[in-house]
């Protein structure tokens, strides 16, 4: 089975009406159809290492993890922005650029 690209995942999620602001890991994998557990683990660890995205992960206990949907989508867009770059865009610069585009 072919895994979907980041663009396909973003198109799927952006078209849906989001009920919850935070999702557990299993629900997030259902919402982003095709997102594997190992990829989610990698993304979660990466988000936890970046101060701008760290706030999007809540771990109240060792077995419960909540992920903020809005920050997760921004994280995916940031990863997409840096995909083929040798000089990566920092998360803070990326978020500032988004704020400027919105304003």
């Amino acid at each position: 089975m072919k895994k979907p690209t980041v663009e396909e995942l973003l198109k799927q999620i952006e078209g849906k009406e989001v009920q919850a602001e935070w999702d557990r890991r299993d629900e997030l994998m259902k919402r982003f159809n095709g997102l594997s557990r190992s990829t989610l683990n990698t993304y979660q660890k990466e988000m936890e290492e970046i101060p701008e995205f760290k706030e999007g992960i809540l771990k109240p206990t060792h077995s419960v993890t909540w992920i903020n949907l809005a920050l997760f989508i921004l994280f995916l867009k940031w990863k997409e922005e840096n995909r083929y770059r040798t000089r990566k865009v920092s998360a803070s610069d990326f978020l500032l650029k988004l704020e400027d585009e919105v304003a």
Side-chain angles (χ1 to χ4, degrees):
M1 182 171 107
K2 181 184 169 232
K3 290 190 177 182
T5 64
V6 173
E7 293 92 17
E8 291 171 345
L9 291 172
L10 287 173
K11 285 179 186 172
Q12 287 178 2
I13 189 69
E14 286 175 349
K16 294 180 181 176
E17 193 171 313
V18 177
Q19 298 282 331
E21 187 175 336
W22 296 83
D23 265 348
R24 294 203 48 187
R25 293 170 44 85
D26 291 338
E27 293 301 316
L28 195 66
M29 287 189 299
K30 289 177 190 170
R31 188 180 299 273
F32 287 89
N33 189 17
L35 181 65
S36 69
R37 184 172 298 278
S38 61
T39 302
L40 183 56
N41 287 341
T42 303
Y43 288 171
Q44 180 183 332
K45 287 177 187 173
E46 201 171 339
M47 283 181 74
E48 290 171 347
E49 293 172 358
I50 302 169
E52 289 82 5
F53 297 117
K54 188 175 186 175
E55 299 171 0
I57 307 285
L58 292 178
K59 294 174 111 179
T61 68
H62 74 282
S63 63
V64 175
T65 301
W66 294 89
I67 300 175
N68 183 284
L69 289 174
L71 277 175
F72 186 71
I73 291 171
L74 286 176
F75 172 77
L76 291 177
K77 288 183 178 185
W78 172 75
K79 285 193 66 74
E80 179 183 34
E81 177 84 16
N82 284 320
R83 184 176 16 186
Y84 298 117
R85 292 178 176 245
T86 53
R87 294 185 63 218
K88 305 291 185 191
V89 176
S90 72
S92 57
D93 289 343
F94 175 76
L95 294 174
L96 284 173
K97 178 181 155 190
L98 279 179
E99 286 177 13
D100 291 342
E101 288 176 2
V102 172

